[in-house]
Amino acid sequence: MQQRLREAVAASILLVPLLAACTTAPQAQPVLAAATTSESVERDGTFVIDVAPQTMRCTGVAPMDCLQIRRDHNGPWELFYGSITDFEFQPGYRYRLRIEQTPVANPPADASSVTWRLVEVLDKQPA
């Protein structure tokens, strides 16, 4: 009897995270934003990112195409779910961009708490 009880408790502990992952409630759109390292932020509050030459399918609130970015020139590519004001991505080009990040006062629950704006295209090379 105790063995069955232990098995039932163990099974429920394993199932709860799986069931929680199946929720259909909209979630906030993640943005790789707030955590900037001191190496990546310059005195004027801007930072530099690399943008990969192709987007990747991703799912935020709905399926979409995400930019692949990295802050460390040798680091791994990460999906960027937001947009960069004044930046027009062209597939097939690698970019190095200077970005300004600005906090958004009272953002909606399903939106980012920061915005990114293009300050300067430092480099644009065909892939």
Side-chain angles (χ1 to χ4, degrees):
M1 180 74 161
Q2 286 184 339
Q3 181 63 25
R4 285 189 179 174
L5 181 59
R6 284 188 202 127
E7 290 172 357
V9 169
S12 65
I13 289 172
L14 293 174
L15 287 176
V16 168
L18 291 174
L19 293 174
C22 294
T23 182
T24 58
Q27 297 183 3
Q29 184 176 15
V31 173
L32 302 172
T36 55
T37 63
S38 59
E39 299 86 41
S40 66
V41 177
E42 299 191 3
R43 279 180 271 140
D44 60 0
T46 64
F47 56 93
V48 175
I49 63 169
D50 293 324
V51 179
Q54 68 279 343
T55 58
M56 294 281 293
R57 287 300 289 168
C58 60
T59 303
V61 174
M64 58 192 274
D65 289 323
C66 288
L67 292 175
Q68 297 180 80
I69 67 161
R70 62 183 175 195
R71 293 185 189 217
D72 178 355
H73 195 60
N74 297 316
W77 293 106
E78 300 177 34
L79 295 178
F80 180 70
Y81 292 80
S83 62
I84 301 172
T85 304
D86 300 330
F87 175 62
E88 190 171 323
F89 175 76
Q90 292 180 325
Y93 290 91
R94 289 185 190 272
Y95 294 89
R96 189 148 180 89
L97 309 176
R98 180 169 308 285
I99 300 294
E100 177 183 61
Q101 178 175 291
T102 307
V104 174
N106 304 315
D110 62 344
S112 174
S113 61
V114 296
T115 59
W116 282 13
R117 183 183 66 81
L118 175 66
V119 175
E120 179 182 6
V121 176
L122 300 172
D123 192 28
K124 178 182 177 182
Q125 295 291 325

